[in-house]
Amino acid sequence: MILLNEKTITQSLLTKRPDFLFDLHLFDSIDSTNLYLKELSSTLGVAICCAEMQTQGRGRFGRHWHSPFGENIYCSSRWHFKNDVSKLSGLSLVTSLAVLAMLNDLCHSPHLKIKWPNDILWNNKKLSGSLIELLPESNNRIPVIIGIGLNVNTDTQKYPLVEKPWCSLYEITHHHFDRNEIIVNLMIYLDHYLNHDLNYFMEEWNQFDYLVGKRIKVLQGLTTLTGTARGINSLGQLILEDELGVTHILSSGDTSLHET
Ligand code: BTN
């Protein structure tokens, strides 16, 4: 098992992108890399926090994110954006596109898709998720924490009893990966994708949209909506056409296929 190494990541990132300003915080164990960056005082460039394991890894909707030692990637980074709705609203989708582009470089597979807003699936099983948190504006900029969980070297057969189907790069390729290099590439792809807003990547989104044309259900708090997914609009909102032909525009929610 190759462990995460601060020097390896720093040197590789500096070699590939000498202009990228960042500071790296690496831990053997931490509660949550997102939480750490929430409390870290402001830094000049992009603050990056990675850990070998998380004791309180968090997913969307307050869910737990399984974070065993030394196998996967738990990586958060803090970026700053202008307070611009068109950019901020599409952020989770643009993040997913960045992760997917990085993955396609690593193990090109036609089965890699994005389930709105930010799950990366392979063969209908979850490979990666991201948790995006906006912090209060400071100096006319909104700090945004982008936390990415990516299953890399875990042998999923060791954990048969999980609620939802999930997979790892190991399951896809039967290879173990050096996570240091994946983290470096993640940062490079994120930096590129976050420089544009969602409109720039609309075609790419349509290419990898897992839900489009499928019957789905969307949980929003206590409400469940069902219908057919009709893609997204320019703000990254989901377009859902219900059984009566009424169109709903959704900004958030937990999506899944609606099997009947
Ligand atoms: C989800 O799919 O629900 C989002 C999962 C996000 C998990 C990552 S792991 C790194 C960062 N730290 C956390 O506590 N959560 C995110």
Side-chain angles (χ1 to χ4, degrees), residues 32-34 54 56-60 65 73-76 119 126 128-131 147-149:
S32 149
T33 53
N34 263 39
Q54 298 184 116
Q56 289 172 49
R58 295 175 312 136
R60 294 175 69 229
W65 185 259
I73 285 178
Y74 321 112
C75 174
S76 302
D119 284 357
K126 184 155 169 171
S128 170
S130 44
L131 181 66
I148 294 169

Side-chain angles (χ1 to χ4, degrees), residues 216-220 223-227 240 242-243 248 250:
I216 64 165
K217 66 175 185 231
V218 186
L219 291 177
Q220 288 192 308
T223 328
T224 305
L225 282 164
T226 57
L240 181 79
D242 71 17
E243 282 79 4
H248 302 258
L250 309 177

Side-chain angles (χ1 to χ4, degrees), residues 109-174:
S109 161
H111 305 296
L112 284 169
K113 297 277 174 197
I114 306 175
K115 181 168 77 69
W116 184 91
N118 47 14
D119 284 357
I120 310 254
L121 307 185
W122 176 78
N123 268 348
N124 307 322
K125 297 188 269 193
K126 184 155 169 171
L127 175 63
S128 170
S130 44
L131 181 66
I132 302 207
E133 301 186 89
L134 272 58
L135 303 182
E137 184 168 337
S138 100
N139 299 326
N140 296 319
R141 287 276 189 275
I142 311 270
V144 177
I145 296 170
I146 298 184
I148 294 169
L150 169 64
N151 302 321
V152 181
N153 293 325
T154 292
D155 180 356
T156 40
Q157 295 187 339
K158 275 197 312 190
Y159 305 97
L161 292 174
V162 283
E163 215 180 296
K164 288 191 178 174
W166 63 290
C167 67
S168 65
L169 286 176
Y170 177 72
E171 184 179 337
I172 301 174
T173 63
H174 307 290

Side-chain angles (χ1 to χ4, degrees), residues 193-248:
Y193 274 73
L194 296 174
N195 258 316
H196 301 276
D197 62 25
L198 178 63
N199 275 315
Y200 187 82
F201 300 111
M202 224 40 163
E203 231 175 84
E204 204 170 316
W205 177 273
N206 292 333
Q207 188 187 343
F208 294 111
D209 187 344
Y210 172 75
L211 297 177
V212 70
K214 293 190 173 131
R215 297 243 316 133
I216 64 165
K217 66 175 185 231
V218 186
L219 291 177
Q220 288 192 308
L222 295 175
T223 328
T224 305
L225 282 164
T226 57
T228 305
R230 297 287 181 216
I232 57 163
N233 65 15
S234 61
L235 291 176
Q237 294 163 309
L238 180 71
I239 304 167
L240 181 79
E241 185 185 333
D242 71 17
E243 282 79 4
L244 302 172
V246 178
T247 298
H248 302 258

